[in-house]
Amino acid sequence: MAKEKQTKETTNKNVHEVVIKIEGKEWIDAIDKAFIKKQKTVKVDGFRPGKVPRDVYEKRFGKESLFIDAADAVLQAAYVKAMEDSKLIPVVQPSVDLKSLAEDGVEFKFTIITKPEVKVNKYKGLNIQPETVEVTAEEIEHELGHLLEKYTELVTKEDGAVENGDIAIIDFEGFKDGVAFDGGKGENYSLEIGSNTFIPGFEEQVIGMKVGEEKDLNLTFPEDYGAKDLAGANVIFKVKVNEIKQKQARELDEDFFEDLGMEGVNSEETLKEEIKNSIKAQKEMDAENNYIDKILEEVSKNVEVDIPEEMVEEEVNRLLGRFEEQMKMQGISLDLYYKFTNTKEEDLKAQLEKEAYANVLYRLMLEEIMNLEKIEVTTEEADQEASKLAEQYGMEKEQFLAQFGGLEMIQYDLEMRKTIELLKEANK
């Protein structure tokens, strides 16, 4: 039998407590199955594995020892029953507490957060204009310089010593109190002098060394260094220079244009035009994103809503997961990130809270405007969009939909985009 009761917190009308009791035959069957599962692993002197009688087991371990396993077994069914009986639609994963546990049944209390009431007082006529995009000659020259640097060739320096800007190919090993420390060794490492890749003083002391030369560098780790055992420590790095390379500037010649591999680019003029178009496209994209952010921020000032903490927490966790994936792409785990930045998960979550709150607020706000304007996307429109996107990503449509979250997510995404387009037109 399902029992539902509203939470005592009358200020949060979207927080509900639903109590579900599993009893009778369903509970007896769950206890029986729990015993069969326990019977396979429990050891009792005088009985082979899997052959312990029920009465012997209960006398030895007590009936109560089966109740927790039985409760775990019926939890999913209780959750389904809570959703069906209450007819509530949760906006975050409901939390569950074990209310009571006995031989005659188990009671679960589900706390269900539903969508809060949202009131958008004004979302039209806010007079927000997009910014005008321009590309200057200085920006084109700056990007051209980056391209020339990117395609710079490295040539071996036959004579002379390491200078600022050179690439020194070195072997090195670090010692603290005469003992080599973890992570302080490298062979044939390409170190760009002036990049500040290593701790202060390292690159400066390599300057002037010649090929084949070995040298001890006396250095001190920064006080705020991530590894506590090395923070502020005096160390010695034994360094040997194996090779010196220097950058050779490229010319805007046929070889350079061929290396670029840009279609239609075969001269300085056509390259600058390509750079201009690229900068303009990026600026237009950034301007569009800033314009949308400005509209959403302005409209949100006219919104009345009491956002549950649980919705913000869930969004924080989603952002944290996205950040973790980004770090993995750079070969850095979260544990390593926390070590380098001398922070912990709580600190990172605190940093993400503002963005998470804004994301939830904007989503609720847009959904309400969507309802007010009766914006809808048909299944056919969503299916066409799915086909187009799958082709863009070079995937089968079914595979794309599985990763995106199904056709309903495509519909929702299109409805959100239509709502944003409406806001853009309504606020110029």
Side-chain angles (χ1 to χ4, degrees):
M1 178 181 180
K3 310 170 193 172
E4 178 187 351
K5 68 172 185 177
Q6 291 293 110
T7 178
K8 292 177 182 177
E9 297 177 39
T10 54
T11 54
N12 285 332
K13 295 179 181 179
N14 53 306
V15 180
H16 312 263
E17 290 181 356
V18 179
V19 177
I20 296 292
K21 184 169 185 179
I22 303 296
E23 54 191 353
K25 187 176 184 304
E26 188 177 359
W27 180 238
I28 292 170
D29 289 345
I31 295 174
D32 289 344
K33 288 177 182 177
F35 168 70
I36 292 170
K37 185 178 178 182
K38 287 280 191 183
Q39 190 184 40
K40 292 176 181 178
T41 57
V42 72
K43 293 180 181 179
V44 176
D45 292 342
F47 296 94
R48 286 179 295 159
K51 298 297 181 181
V52 180
R54 177 76 169 264
D55 60 338
V56 173
Y57 174 89
E58 290 182 356
K59 187 176 180 180
R60 176 76 179 271
F61 301 101
K63 289 182 181 181
E64 297 79 8
S65 64
L66 300 173
F67 295 166
I68 288 293
D69 283 357
D72 287 340
V74 298
L75 176 58
Q76 182 59 31
Y79 171 73
V80 171
K81 192 169 180 57
M83 295 298 103
E84 290 175 349
D85 290 2
S86 67
K87 295 180 171 54
L88 296 171
I89 301 174
V91 289
V92 296
Q93 184 64 35
S95 62
V96 60
D97 292 309
L98 188 61
K99 188 174 171 63
S100 67
L101 182 66
E103 189 172 1
D104 65 340
V106 59
E107 278 189 323
F108 298 102
K109 183 178 74 174
F110 295 93
T111 302
I112 302 172
I113 312 295
T114 55
K115 185 176 177 179
E117 184 180 344
V118 183
K119 186 177 180 182
V120 186
N121 295 314
K122 184 178 181 182
Y123 59 92
K124 293 181 179 179
L126 296 173
N127 191 29
I128 304 169
Q129 302 300 321
E131 60 182 283
T132 305
V133 169
E134 293 181 355
V135 180
T136 66
E138 289 78 8
E139 288 172 324
I140 295 172
E141 289 297 331
H142 182 73
E143 187 58 32
L144 178 59
H146 270 310
L147 264 180
L148 288 168
E149 185 176 351
K150 180 180 177 181
Y151 285 87
T152 295
E153 293 180 337
L154 294 177
V155 296
T156 300
K157 194 172 183 178
E158 301 295 344
D159 298 309
V162 176
E163 298 178 74
N164 195 34
D166 286 347
I167 309 295
I169 313 301
I170 62 172
D171 294 339
F172 65 90
E173 187 168 15
F175 296 84
K176 177 187 173 185
D177 299 328
V179 180
F181 53 82
D182 291 340
K185 184 176 182 179
E187 294 181 354
N188 288 319
Y189 183 90
S190 295
L191 175 63
E192 181 177 353
I193 307 301
S195 65
N196 299 317
T197 305
F198 282 15
I199 61 173
F202 190 104
E203 294 168 31
E204 290 82 351
Q205 292 191 46
V206 173
I207 292 175
M209 292 181 68
K210 297 182 178 180
V211 173
E213 184 178 347
E214 297 182 25
K215 185 177 180 182
D216 287 353
L217 312 184
N218 292 289
L219 299 166
T220 303
F221 274 93
E223 293 289 344
D224 60 352
Y225 190 71
K228 291 183 180 179
D229 57 328
L230 292 175
N234 295 318
V235 297
I236 294 175
F237 275 95
K238 294 185 177 295
V239 177
K240 179 184 178 183
V241 176
N242 299 322
E243 189 179 2
I244 304 171
K245 293 185 178 183
Q246 58 185 169
K247 296 177 181 178
Q248 188 174 71
R250 296 293 299 271
E251 299 291 332
L252 293 174
D253 53 21
E254 188 176 336
D255 288 341
F256 179 68
F257 297 128
E258 189 175 325
D259 288 346
L260 283 179
M262 294 181 181
E263 189 176 348
V265 174
N266 51 23
S267 65
E268 182 176 351
E269 185 179 273
T270 54
L271 176 57
K272 285 186 174 181
E273 186 63 26
E274 180 69 23
I275 290 172
K276 180 181 178 180
N277 292 337
S278 177
I279 294 174
K280 186 178 180 183
Q282 184 61 54
K283 279 191 164 189
E284 286 174 343
M285 186 185 298
D286 292 341
E288 173 73 0
N289 291 334
N290 290 335
Y291 179 47
I292 291 171
D293 286 344
K294 195 183 296 183
I295 291 173
L296 294 177
E297 185 179 354
E298 204 61 34
V299 173
S300 72
K301 294 175 183 177
N302 303 301
V303 174
E304 296 177 34
V305 62
D306 185 11
I307 298 176
E309 290 181 8
E310 291 84 354
M311 290 186 75
V312 179
E313 287 172 9
E314 187 172 78
E315 180 64 11
V316 165
N317 289 329
R318 188 190 71 80
L319 293 175
L320 183 65
R322 188 179 70 178
F323 181 79
E324 183 176 12
E325 289 301 314
Q326 291 171 346
M327 289 293 100
K328 280 181 181 177
M329 289 174 68
Q330 299 176 40
I332 301 173
S333 68
L334 275 185
D335 287 341
L336 198 58
Y337 170 82
Y338 295 140
K339 185 176 180 181
F340 284 161
T341 57
N342 196 28
T343 58
K344 49 186 181 295
E345 184 177 289
E346 291 75 14
D347 300 321
L348 182 54
K349 282 187 172 183
Q351 291 175 29
L352 296 171
E353 275 184 11
K354 185 177 180 181
E355 181 183 354
Y357 182 87
N359 288 351
V360 175
L361 173 60
Y362 293 166
R363 185 168 71 241
L364 292 170
M365 175 182 81
L366 288 170
E367 286 174 355
E368 179 60 16
I369 295 171
M370 187 193 306
N371 292 331
L372 292 170
E373 295 290 336
K374 296 180 173 56
I375 293 173
E376 292 182 353
V377 170
T378 65
T379 305
E380 290 74 18
E381 286 179 290
D383 191 64
Q384 289 174 9
E385 180 71 6
S387 298
K388 185 174 74 175
L389 291 172
E391 187 177 346
Q392 285 179 9
Y393 287 104
M395 300 168 67
E396 294 292 329
K397 187 165 75 173
E398 291 73 17
Q399 182 188 8
F400 171 78
L401 284 173
Q403 290 193 16
F404 196 83
L407 201 60
E408 285 186 0
M409 284 302 297
I410 298 285
Q411 280 181 286
Y412 180 80
D413 186 60
L414 283 174
E415 287 168 349
M416 281 291 192
R417 281 154 55 183
K418 281 188 175 185
T419 306
I420 289 171
E421 286 303 314
L422 180 144
L423 288 177
K424 285 163 59 178
E425 290 302 316
N427 287 291
K428 287 182 179 177

